[in-house]
Amino acid sequence: KQWYQRRVRGLDENMKVKDHFKFNANRLVITNVDIQSVEPVDQRTRDSLQKSEQLAIEITTNSQEASARHEAERLEQQAKGKLERQKIHDEAEAEKARTELLKLQSMSAAVESTGQAKAEAQSRAESLKLE
């Protein structure tokens, strides 16, 4: 619209669009131009513009699809990374628990062995007393 305003009314010395255009011959003054639509007269130009518009829409659509696909892949990779970190953390915690269990089992076996040896020693001592 601005382009047509410049063409019809012209530019002043400051390169701004004039607020009117005056025909001196009949004193006609144009103050505004209302453009309803612009269509090329030539069919080839019209077809070419239509093809360009379709191509622009297709490019925009493909770009948006690629962007959405990229974002989905990024989020998927992020989720996989988080899951892998959680898995490593859980495995480390399980290994700590297994180590603690083995330590406790070892201690329990030592206590049991000591208790067994003590009981056997007491039994022998009493047996020797009785003889």
Side-chain angles (χ1 to χ4, degrees), residues 38-40 42-55:
V38 177
E39 290 186 29
D42 181 28
Q43 184 62 39
R44 261 184 38 194
T45 305
R46 182 178 295 136
D47 292 344
S48 179
L49 284 173
Q50 187 175 17
K51 186 176 180 181
S52 292
E53 185 178 349
Q54 288 172 346
L55 188 59

Side-chain angles (χ1 to χ4, degrees), residues 1-2 8 15 17-20 30 35 46 49 55-56 59 61 67 71 76 83 88-90 95 99 117 126 129-130:
K1 183 177 175 181
Q2 186 71 18
V8 172
M15 300 306 288
V17 178
K18 293 179 183 178
D19 59 351
H20 68 278
I30 298 176
I35 308 298
R46 182 178 295 136
L49 284 173
L55 188 59
I59 289 170
T61 302
S67 179
E71 180 65 13
E76 181 182 3
L83 186 62
I88 291 168
H89 178 266
D90 291 348
E95 190 60 35
T99 303
E126 285 198 25
K129 261 187 198 181
L130 292 175

